[in-house]
Amino acid sequence: MPSPTNDHTHADHPVATPPPGPGRLGGAAAGLAAAAVGLAAAEALTLVSDRFRSPVLDVGDRVVDLVPPFVKDLAIAWFGTNDKVALLVGIGATLAVAAALAGVAVVHARRRIGHVVPIAFGVLGAVSVWTARVDRPAWAVLPAVLGALVAGGGLVFARRRADDLVDPERRVERERRATLSASAIGGRRAFIGLSAAMAGGAAVVGVGARRVADSNAPAADLGELGLPAADAPLAPLRAGTSLDIDGITSLVTPNDDFYRIDTALTVPRIDPETWTLRIHGMVDDEIVLDLDDLRGREIVEADITMTCVSNLVGGGLVGHARWLGVRLDDLLAEAGIDASADQIVGRSVDGYTCGFPTSTLDGRDALIAIGMNGEPLPPAHGFPARLVVPGLYGYVSATKWLTEIELTRFDAFDHYWVPRGYAVEAPIKTQTRIDLPATLADVPAGPTTVAGVAWAQTRGIEAVEVRVDDGPWRAATLADAINADSWRQWAIEVDLLEGRHTLEARSIDGTGAVQTDERVDPLPDGATGRHKTVVFVGG
Ligand SMILES: Nc1nc2c(c(=O)[nH]1)N[C@H]1C(S)=C(S)[C@@H](COP(=O)(O)O)O[C@H]1N2
Ligand SMILES: [Mo]
């Protein structure tokens, strides 16, 4: 029951009516709306020409190129294959904060300095185009410029509407001239409502434009395209190459589960009709092939395990597939390599490059792959063609969306990751992963199966050994090796007493070298150290 005293207080201290004007919230809303309309205009313009690209993605690409490698490894460690989503969310959040601040500055605080924000983002977008990995025409900056102009215009418009709210004379004047009725000018809520409506409309246009842009991109009907058969197909994997153990990593990684690592914010969509592969540089005869030419050559198959240099000890950036394609050494022999060339560079349609020594052509199954586990390469894994080189980390060898192979010299060209701190050459280091029991698993006392995979591509895995709590090393059972370029499953039964125990595994490669226990980070040429897992053994 309200007390008279309360009523009294009310009368003495009337609730303050907010000052006229859109307020901070209105300013922020107007800033966000202006940015949204600007972005939508930019996205819509990208539909006009395929040389245009979303300025947000362009800026994202430059961020990808510029972040120091340790940040990249952190992003992979934190977000895994979602690192790109995380980046785009980060860019979106930065844009939103800057837009809101710009709106508050211009609309609420009446400070023109807020106009710097759309200008700055326009310049950022333009610079991102000029510094792109692949050459772009100068006019490719237009979406960024248009976006900045429209966003700036949005701020001017919002400021005028705010003036209508604040300035009684202006308000009276406009009512008199009947440009706008009082109700149309409205108050703060109407102002924020209009901003929200504009932002909503812009979101629909922007997202719609991106959808259309994506669906316009030539998409190969991979099913339709089919795969040529290998001239001498490999036999199916022998039964002995897989151990029958629940929870062990499947020997062949299904394409959908294969790890994906690349610098591409959006998967390049390549029209198989117009795609070409050019072999040039320090060669006797330049060769240009289209997809039919490539498919018409001798087709081989090879079982190869691929590994990312960023893989942490025990990590999942490794996968195994049966690749189908054309032998790189055959093709390069046909082009004729200059004796003084020492580097083979693979260049992607998106400007990414890898580079590896010509001495790698030592008879190993280096391929220009067009097929992966019986299917055409999935777009995310490089459709229509990529390099796969046994024994080298992906970043130096496995160019996806391949369009050029250039013969050059290491002293003349640095491939993509070299100026970013990674090693020029990167042979794969021996690793042994414990798949089960899982880290921190509860297991019953008594016999427990420890199992996993080990890899040392080109050298092969000779033995895997396991120990419990610094006890003696014991030899694990190995599945039959597929070949020296593929990982190998292993398993062992250990007897565990109650308590907390550490399991540790190591391999001995085909040269007799024992996997080192020395822990080093992935940067600059791949992690070393032994995978250990802790288990809790109950009674
Ligand atoms: N065009 C392009 N190819 C690329 C990369 C890239 O960023 N762009 N990344 C490389 C790296 S670091 C690795 S580990 C492998 C990963 O291939 P996957 O995504 O098919 O597993 O692709 C390589 N090829
Ligand atoms: Mo990688």
Side-chain angles (χ1 to χ4, degrees), residues 406-449:
E406 183 181 0
L407 270 294
T408 179
R409 294 188 51 81
F410 280 105
D411 57 22
F413 181 78
D414 284 336
H415 55 84
Y416 182 87
W417 283 106
V418 172
R420 292 165 177 82
Y422 280 86
V424 174
E425 293 192 38
I428 292 176
K429 299 176 180 178
T430 304
Q431 270 301 336
T432 316
R433 190 173 72 198
I434 302 172
D435 292 334
L436 50 123
T439 309
L440 305 182
D442 288 309
V443 298
T448 286
T449 300

Side-chain angles (χ1 to χ4, degrees), residues 163-175:
D163 287 344
D164 291 341
L165 294 187
V166 189
D167 185 342
E169 276 173 39
R170 194 181 153 105
R171 192 177 176 120
V172 167
E173 172 69 6
R174 291 193 64 172
E175 275 179 64

Side-chain angles (χ1 to χ4, degrees), residues 84-443:
K84 299 187 175 79
V85 179
L87 171 64
L88 289 175
V89 168
I91 290 176
T94 308
L95 254 173
V97 169
L101 289 176
V104 171
V106 170
V107 175
H108 173 73
R110 339 241 97 208
R111 304 278 299 271
R112 287 181 194 283
I113 184 80
H115 286 294
V116 167
V117 170
I119 295 172
F121 277 93
V123 169
L124 198 64
V127 169
S128 296
V129 171
W130 290 326
T131 55
R133 293 197 288 263
V134 281
D135 280 343
R136 308 265 299 273
W139 48 266
V141 301
L142 281 179
V145 171
L146 178 74
L149 287 176
V150 170
L155 284 176
V156 170
F157 172 75
R159 188 193 157 100
R160 297 239 169 96
R161 298 297 310 238
D163 287 344
D164 291 341
L165 294 187
V166 189
D167 185 342
E169 276 173 39
R170 194 181 153 105
R171 192 177 176 120
V172 167
E173 172 69 6
R174 291 193 64 172
E175 275 179 64
R176 191 181 60 74
R177 299 215 319 249
T179 350
L180 280 175
S181 71
S183 61
I185 294 175
R188 182 177 296 185
R189 289 178 77 179
F191 183 93
I192 294 176
L194 177 65
S195 297
M198 283 172 61
V204 171
V205 171
V207 170
R210 277 239 57 77
R211 284 270 166 83
V212 174
D214 280 347
S215 61
N216 276 353
D221 186 338
L222 298 186
E224 192 99 308
L225 199 67
L227 263 192
D231 288 271
L234 290 181
L237 293 179
R238 281 168 290 116
T241 54
S242 278
L243 298 176
D244 184 18
I245 292 172
D246 253 8
I248 198 169
T249 301
S250 120
L251 189 59
V252 176
T253 314
N255 290 355
D256 286 343
D257 299 341
F258 210 96
Y259 80 92
R260 176 189 163 199
I261 291 289
D262 52 58
T263 58
L265 274 180
T266 51
V267 173
R269 306 271 208 111
I270 296 173
D271 185 350
E273 297 288 323
T274 56
W275 175 85
T276 56
L277 173 62
R278 183 160 84 101
I279 292 128
H280 67 112
M282 300 170 75
V283 293
D284 302 332
D285 300 298
E286 201 173 301
I287 299 180
V288 179
L289 302 163
D290 63 19
L291 195 54
D292 282 336
D293 298 333
L294 196 65
R295 291 161 62 99
R297 293 182 66 93
E298 187 188 348
I299 299 289
V300 302
E301 287 181 312
D303 295 315
I304 302 167
T305 298
M306 184 145 67
T307 314
C308 180
V309 70
S310 300
N311 194 41
L312 299 171
V313 173
L317 300 180
V318 50
H320 179 86
R322 177 163 286 184
W323 306 92
L324 176 142
V326 168
R327 285 191 71 90
L328 181 64
D329 50 9
D330 282 356
L331 200 57
L332 292 184
E334 201 171 302
I337 305 178
D338 269 24
S340 53
D342 61 5
Q343 182 177 210
I344 302 168
V345 169
R347 186 169 283 111
S348 160
V349 296
D350 68 358
Y352 178 87
T353 50
C354 69
F356 51 98
T358 48
S359 61
T360 306
L361 301 178
D362 54 4
R364 75 183 76 180
D365 293 333
L367 299 185
I368 297 153
I370 56 173
M372 181 177 183
N373 293 327
E375 293 168 17
L377 279 181
H381 296 290
F383 178 86
R386 75 174 305 168
L387 287 168
V388 181
V389 182
L392 302 183
Y393 284 118
Y395 83 99
V396 291
S397 64
T399 302
K400 305 192 272 191
W401 314 294
L402 181 71
T403 187
E404 276 178 44
I405 296 173
E406 183 181 0
L407 270 294
T408 179
R409 294 188 51 81
F410 280 105
D411 57 22
F413 181 78
D414 284 336
H415 55 84
Y416 182 87
W417 283 106
V418 172
R420 292 165 177 82
Y422 280 86
V424 174
E425 293 192 38
I428 292 176
K429 299 176 180 178
T430 304
Q431 270 301 336
T432 316
R433 190 173 72 198
I434 302 172
D435 292 334
L436 50 123
T439 309
L440 305 182
D442 288 309
V443 298

